[in-house]
Amino acid sequence: MQSPNDSGFTFVLFGATGDLSMRKILPALFEAHRSGMLAASGKIVGVARHEDTRDQYLQWVNEHVKPHVSKNGLDEVAWASFLERIVYVKLDLSRAEDFTTLRDGIAELPGIRVFYLATGPSLFVPICHALASVGLNQNARIVLEKPLGYDLKSSNAINDAVGEIFAEEQIYRIDHYLGKEPVQNLLALRFGNALFEPLWRREWVESIQITIAEELGVEARGDFYDNTGALRDMVQNHLLQLLSIVAMEPPHSMDSDSVRDEKLRVLRALKPINPADISKVAVRGQYHAGVIRGQQVPGYATEHGVKPDSRTETFVALKVEIENWRWAGVPFFLRTGKRLADRVAEIVVNFRPVPHSALGPTALRAGSNRLVIRLQPNETIRLYCLAKQPGEGMNLSSVHLDLAFDQFFREGQMEAYQRLLLDVINGRLALFVRRDEQEAAWKWVEPILNEWAATPRPPKPYASGTWGPAASSAMLAQHGTCWLEEEN
C-alpha cells in the first residue's frame, strides 16, 4: 500500500535515544512504514549526542525499540527496510557548528521537514533558535511535547519564543490522547448519528465523568514529577482536552480551525473557580504504600527523586461546570491519579432517568441509561440501557450494547502516536493543540495551582491500590452520584 501523499518527508527526531523515542515515536513510525503509510522516499533522522556513528545508533535502536514493536511478532523484512530509512546525526546542542552539520546532512533529503522535539521543555527554545540560525525553520514543521511550561507565564514565554521562529500553522503541540481511536469515534458518534445529538445537552445528561487512572507510580520520573504534580501533568492538558471534545458544539467542518475553534469556546466557558471554594470542588491526594495486584509498592515520599516532605499531588479530582446554554448546571467530574486500583481511561455520560416510570423504581435509578467510552486499556464504546428479564413479571435489568473496535473492524487499530505522526507529516492540525487553547486551559487551572501552593495543608493520603482519597467519593455524593466503579 502506497502512501496517498508520496511527496516525501524528512523526520528529524531530537532526543533520538530517549525513552519517548524508543517506546512511542520510533515504534509508531515503524508501524506506519510496515503498513505502507509512509512515502517511500521519506527519511528519519535521529539526532542525539550519545552515539558516534549510524551503525552504533542502529544497534541502540535494535536493542531498545524492537521490544516495543514485536508484541505480535516482528516482521523482520519490514524492520530491515525501516532501518534503511534512518539517518543519524551526532549533535551537541551547545555547539552551534553542529547545527550546520545537521543542515548540510539533510540538505539533499526529500520533502517537508518535521522537527520533533522529544526533549525537556527547557531545550525547546534553544533548539528552535539554533534551527533558525541555519535556516532550517523554512519549509518545516515543529512538534512540541508536553509539558509546555510550568504555568501560564512560562507557557507564554515558550510560545512567544517559538512563535518568533515558526508560524502558528507550523507548530504542532502534541497531546496523544487526542489521537486515540475512541476519541475520534466520539466525534463520529456525536456528529454522524442523529440518535445522540438531541440528547447531548443539559435536559438529558445528568453528569459526565472523565477518568485517567494509572497503576504505576512515578517510576524513574521522581525528579520531574515532584516539581510538576498531577494537575499540571494530566489535568491542564489531557483531561481538559477530553472535556472540550465531549462538550464542544458541532463544528462547521472537520478542518483544523473549525474543530479547534469549538474546543476553545468550551475552555473559555469553564466556570472560574473561586479560591474560597476550591476545597469544595477540588480534591488532591498523594499515594502511600500499599498493595497492587498482590505486590507491595512504596509510598510517593519514598520514591527515588522525591523530597521526603513533598506536598506534590499524585491524585486530583475536580467538579467542573461549563457556563453555556448546552451544559449549564451539568457537573463534569474529572479524575486522575497514580497508584490507583486499575489502569483505565474512560468517559462516562450519565443520562437522566425517565421522569416517571410505570415499570417500577429500577427505571428511575440514576445510571440506568449510560454511555461509557473506554480509551484504555481496551478501546470500546458501551451503551447501557434497561431491558426486561426473561420470565414472569416486569423485572428490569441493565444490559449493554458494545462496540469493541478490535472485534468489529478486521484491520488493526492505529495507535495514537502513529495517527498523530502521520498527521504531522501530512500537514493536518485538527488533533493538535492551538496556542489559544493552551492559554485558556492554563488560565482556568492557575487559581487551583496558586491556592494549593499557598495552603499549608498537605494532600490527602490514599493507599496505593485504591481509587484515591475518600474525599473524592464524598464530592460526588454531594451531587447524588458516585464514580462508576463504586456502583457495584
Side-chain angles (χ1 to χ4, degrees):
M1 174 181 170
Q2 190 66 28
S3 167
N5 180 2
D6 199 29
S7 58
F9 65 90
T10 299
F11 189 97
V12 182
L13 178 58
F14 285 87
T17 57
D19 184 62
L20 180 64
S21 296
M22 299 297 106
R23 289 188 303 106
K24 295 293 184 182
I25 300 171
L26 288 174
L29 288 171
F30 168 71
E31 287 301 327
H33 165 83
R34 186 186 60 79
S35 302
M37 296 179 177
L38 295 182
S41 58
K43 293 293 184 181
I44 299 165
V45 182
V47 175
R49 63 179 179 178
H50 296 299
E51 305 297 339
D52 291 321
T53 67
R54 177 176 182 271
D55 286 343
Q56 287 176 318
Y57 179 63
L58 292 184
Q59 182 179 350
W60 179 274
V61 170
N62 268 309
E63 292 175 3
H64 294 86
V65 177
K66 265 190 174 183
H68 301 290
V69 299
S70 58
K71 295 174 183 176
N72 298 317
L74 179 64
D75 182 339
E76 292 289 353
V77 174
W79 179 252
S81 62
F82 174 69
L83 294 183
E84 291 175 4
R85 290 185 182 269
I86 296 179
V87 179
Y88 178 71
V89 176
K90 183 177 182 180
L91 186 147
D92 185 335
L93 299 180
S94 65
R95 290 167 49 89
E97 57 268 33
D98 282 9
F99 282 85
T100 302
T101 302
L102 173 64
R103 180 196 64 195
D104 296 343
I106 67 175
E108 302 301 320
L109 297 182
I112 189 75
R113 291 167 180 159
V114 174
F115 296 103
Y116 196 116
L117 306 193
T119 67
S122 63
L123 298 177
F124 290 173
V125 174
I127 291 174
C128 289
H129 278 299
L131 290 172
S133 72
V134 295
L136 287 177
N137 58 325
Q138 305 300 317
N139 188 34
R141 296 167 187 148
I142 190 90
V143 185
L144 305 179
E145 269 285 348
K146 78 173 189 73
L148 202 68
Y150 183 79
D151 51 19
L152 179 61
K153 181 179 179 180
S154 59
S155 175
N156 281 341
I158 293 173
N159 278 316
D160 287 343
V162 175
E164 292 175 357
I165 298 164
F166 294 92
E168 178 64 27
E169 61 268 19
Q170 293 177 279
I171 303 171
Y172 291 69
R173 300 173 189 86
I174 197 165
D175 186 327
H176 70 274
Y177 272 85
L178 297 184
K180 289 182 176 292
E181 196 73 55
V183 176
Q184 303 305 295
N185 264 295
L186 176 58
L187 294 172
L189 193 77
R190 284 195 57 194
F191 306 134
N193 298 285
L195 174 64
F196 288 104
E197 178 55 27
L199 306 179
W200 213 263
R201 59 190 67 248
R202 61 184 303 274
E203 291 87 355
W204 300 106
V205 175
E206 189 168 65
S207 66
I208 294 178
Q209 302 173 16
I210 306 177
T211 294
I212 302 177
E214 300 177 83
E215 287 184 335
L216 295 175
V218 295
E219 305 306 296
R221 301 168 68 232
D223 288 328
F224 160 78
Y225 197 90
D226 208 36
N227 292 302
T228 304
L231 191 64
R232 289 184 178 92
D233 191 42
M234 298 296 290
V235 176
Q236 183 272 331
N237 39 71
H238 297 328
L239 280 168
L240 289 186
Q241 281 293 315
L242 291 177
L243 169 67
S244 66
I245 291 284
V246 170
M248 65 188 276
E249 294 296 319
H252 163 69
S253 70
M254 294 308 293
D255 72 80
S256 59
D257 279 331
S258 294
V259 172
R260 297 190 295 180
D261 285 347
E262 297 304 335
K263 287 163 56 189
L264 177 63
R265 289 189 178 96
V266 173
L267 293 170
R268 287 179 171 171
L270 294 177
K271 182 179 179 180
I273 294 182
N274 187 322
D277 296 330
I278 284 177
S279 61
K280 302 174 186 176
V281 298
V283 176
R284 64 172 180 154
Q286 186 183 100
Y287 67 81
H288 286 204
V291 177
I292 294 182
R293 300 193 185 278
Q295 299 292 320
Q296 183 71 32
V297 295
Y300 176 75
T302 63
E303 298 274 22
H304 178 72
V306 174
K307 296 184 290 291
D309 59 348
S310 173
R311 293 197 295 129
T312 298
E313 78 283 353
T314 63
F315 175 95
V316 174
L318 300 169
K319 173 182 171 283
V320 179
E321 294 182 62
I322 299 174
E323 296 184 313
N324 63 20
W325 277 39
R326 183 183 288 267
W327 296 114
V330 176
F332 287 71
F333 298 104
L334 312 184
R335 175 177 60 165
T336 186
K338 292 188 174 294
R339 292 287 192 218
L340 297 182
D342 199 3
R343 173 180 174 264
V344 63
E346 64 188 8
I347 299 163
V348 180
V349 181
N350 290 311
F351 294 101
R352 297 186 186 278
V354 295
H356 169 75
S357 174
L359 303 175
T362 303
L364 297 173
R365 191 176 63 203
S368 298
N369 304 130
R370 168 183 291 141
L371 184 69
V372 178
I373 302 155
R374 177 68 63 92
L375 308 180
Q376 66 181 32
N378 53 323
E379 299 181 343
T380 60
I381 295 177
R382 177 172 287 184
L383 177 64
Y384 289 85
C385 54
L386 291 174
K388 178 188 175 297
Q389 295 180 13
E392 187 180 1
M394 183 59 72
N395 298 312
L396 303 182
S397 259
S398 178
V399 297
H400 56 263
L401 309 173
D402 272 350
L403 171 56
F405 298 108
D406 58 346
Q407 297 177 23
F408 192 85
F409 297 106
R410 291 184 178 180
E411 61 270 22
Q413 290 187 61
M414 192 181 294
E415 292 290 335
Y417 267 95
Q418 182 182 343
R419 172 181 288 105
L420 294 173
L421 294 182
L422 288 170
D423 279 1
V424 176
I425 291 169
N426 293 316
R428 297 188 287 257
L429 276 159
L431 300 182
F432 296 84
V433 181
R434 205 167 58 192
R435 176 174 179 168
D436 48 10
E437 291 181 75
Q438 195 172 66
E439 288 182 1
W442 273 120
K443 285 178 181 177
W444 187 81
V445 161
E446 271 210 329
I448 309 173
L449 287 170
N450 294 338
E451 180 66 16
W452 283 353
T455 182
R457 294 189 299 274
K460 297 182 183 298
Y462 65 94
S464 294
T466 67
W467 283 103
S472 167
S473 298
M475 182 173 68
L476 271 69
Q478 292 173 357
H479 297 274
T481 187
C482 62
W483 295 108
L484 180 60
E485 77 279 350
E486 294 174 336
E487 290 204 352
N488 298 322

